[in-house]
């Protein structure tokens, strides 16, 4: 009977030790994968800048063109869309809402 109990104890304790080793291996792998992901696969979805654009005139009208820094930083007169109830006034110098 003592031999059977010893065999069972060895099996149980060895299995717990194996689970602990497996847990440590998986935990270490996940931590390393997380750190590697932070440093090597840092996908930047958007970039910010401190550019400013000054638009003082709207006479260029509606266009699909995009303003480009620094070429169009000043003197840009176009816009991408207009809503109903809005018109240009003073030869494009102002926008007015129609009430």
């Amino acid at each position: 009977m003592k031999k059977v109990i010893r065999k069972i104890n060895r099996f149980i304790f060895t299995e717990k030790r194996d689970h602990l080793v497996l847990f440590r291996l998986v935990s270490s792998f996940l931590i390393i994968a997380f750190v590697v992901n932070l440093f090597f696969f840092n996908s930047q979805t958007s970039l910010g800048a401190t550019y400013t654009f000054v638009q003082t005139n709207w006479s260029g009208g509606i266009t699909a063109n995009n303003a480009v820094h620094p070429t169009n930083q000043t003197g840009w007169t176009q816009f991408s869309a207009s809503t109903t109830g809005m018109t240009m006034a003073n030869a494009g110098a102002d926008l007015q809402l129609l009430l």
Side-chain angles (χ1 to χ4, degrees), residues 28-72:
S28 299
F29 174 77
L30 290 174
I31 290 170
I32 290 170
F34 179 73
V35 170
V36 167
N37 186 34
L38 284 177
F39 288 107
F40 295 108
F41 301 109
N42 188 9
S43 63
Q44 298 177 359
T45 56
S46 65
L47 299 173
T50 56
Y51 300 144
T52 56
F53 287 88
V54 179
Q55 185 163 358
T56 58
N57 192 322
W58 304 89
S59 63
I62 297 175
T63 184
N65 298 334
N66 292 322
V68 179
H69 186 272
T71 309
N72 304 121

Side-chain angles (χ1 to χ4, degrees), residues 55-62 76-79 88 91-95:
Q55 185 163 358
T56 58
N57 192 322
W58 304 89
S59 63
I62 297 175
W76 183 256
T77 61
Q78 300 170 346
F79 52 95
M88 287 187 287
D94 298 318
L95 290 177

Side-chain angles (χ1 to χ4, degrees), residues 17-32:
R17 207 174 319 131
D18 290 345
H19 284 288
L20 183 62
V21 169
L22 180 63
F23 175 76
R24 286 181 179 167
L25 281 172
V26 169
S27 299
S28 299
F29 174 77
L30 290 174
I31 290 170
I32 290 170

